[in-house]
Amino acid sequence: MKIVLLEGNALGKDIDLSVFGKLGEVTVYGQSNAEDTPEKVKDADIIIVNKVPMNEQTLKDAPNVKMIAITATGYNIIDKAYTDSRGIVVANVGGYSTDSVAQHTFALALYLIDQMDYYDKYVKSGEYIKSDIFCHIDKKIFELAGKTWGIIGLGAIGKKVAQIAEVFGCKIVYYSTSGKNNSSGYERVSLDGLLERSDIVSIHAPLNEQTENLMNIENFRKMKSGAILINVARGPIVNERDLVTALNEGMIAGAGLDVISAEPMKAGNPLMEVQDSTKLIVTPHIAWATGEARQRLTDEVYLNVEAFLQGKRRNVI
């Protein structure tokens, strides 16, 4: 079997990809795109991919492809009608990053809540050396205990965040974007109710017609002026221009983002207008990427391919 791994760099240079050599003849590319992929996969039996679209354009000259193994949970890169018409098996990986993303959710939230950027700069600027008092409390910080944490999308990651927030002493409310999720352990509310009540709002929902542009100027106006927004789900759920307006006009106190509308970020993205990290912190889609999570992902992809070669269906979509 000829196995082509198109985006090895996305798994990290510290992850050993040679293990796939046990399953066949492996070619690893660091990065690929829709234009160069047809040539790279023309002789492939199995393709391991993350972001490159898998459709007629990229696959039409690859007659031997029998399986596509996605190094992710989402499979919107797949033209399922086309792969089905070719009889190509597609498998994904779920659950590998739950702990990692939940952890990053709190890293973003606590950085803003405790005003880490301001206080770190205060000390390193030398101002603390000049101080005549042991503490400096110009920027207000607050406790999570007793606050309301609103979760948009109570899937596996949302539930993990809820569990951790409860340990901090938060009251949990959630909004089901599909309208189908009823968790007896937490209070389900409308989106308006969640935005109006929550001190922290974190997004863990999929991107679809119901969630795209969900957080727009109209909904920012419904939030508390001291509230924090965290998005570790999908970038287009938040209208970035409206978020900048909300931050600049004091509709909300701060936002932490790990995902943005186009990745990598494009020149001219309005988020670049907010250089104050006490209001906005943006990380480059790393919430999923702890070493442990990337190793779990790689292990699961290996098992998906191994199962396929054994005639079994594992994580097939």
Side-chain angles (χ1 to χ4, degrees), residues 175-179 191 205-215 237:
Y175 168 66
S176 172
T177 58
S178 68
L191 179 60
L207 177 64
N208 52 40
E209 292 181 358
Q210 287 72 43
T211 61
E212 186 171 6
N213 204 43
L214 182 71
M215 292 308 301
I237 295 175

Side-chain angles (χ1 to χ4, degrees), residues 262-283:
E263 298 169 351
M265 181 181 277
K266 305 299 183 186
N269 187 300
L271 296 173
M272 292 297 290
E273 298 172 19
V274 183
Q275 293 294 310
D276 183 352
S277 293
T278 66
K279 288 186 176 181
L280 176 67
I281 177 171
V282 184
T283 51

Side-chain angles (χ1 to χ4, degrees), residues 40-59:
K40 291 177 178 177
V41 302
K42 64 182 181 180
D43 297 321
D45 295 293
I46 295 171
I47 299 171
I48 301 175
V49 62
N50 184 272
K51 296 294 186 188
V52 179
M54 294 284 99
N55 51 32
E56 185 173 7
Q57 176 191 341
T58 51
L59 298 174

Side-chain angles (χ1 to χ4, degrees), residues 127-145:
E127 288 302 308
Y128 190 37
I129 295 172
K130 304 172 188 177
S131 177
D132 59 357
I133 187 173
F134 75 94
C135 65
H136 173 79
I137 48 176
D138 276 13
K139 285 279 189 179
K140 185 178 180 180
I141 61 178
F142 64 87
E143 295 179 351
L144 281 173

Side-chain angles (χ1 to χ4, degrees), residues 30 60 69 84 127 190 210 238:
K60 65 180 179 179
D84 285 351
E127 288 302 308
S190 66
Q210 287 72 43
V238 174

Side-chain angles (χ1 to χ4, degrees), residues 10-12 14-15 96-97 99-101 103-104 258 284-297:
L11 291 170
D14 55 329
I15 300 298
Y96 66 93
S97 65
D99 290 337
S100 183
V101 176
Q103 175 177 301
H104 198 74
D258 184 58
H285 205 142
I286 59 167
W288 69 278
T290 57
E292 294 86 349
R294 288 183 288 112
Q295 187 61 61
R296 280 193 295 271
L297 173 59

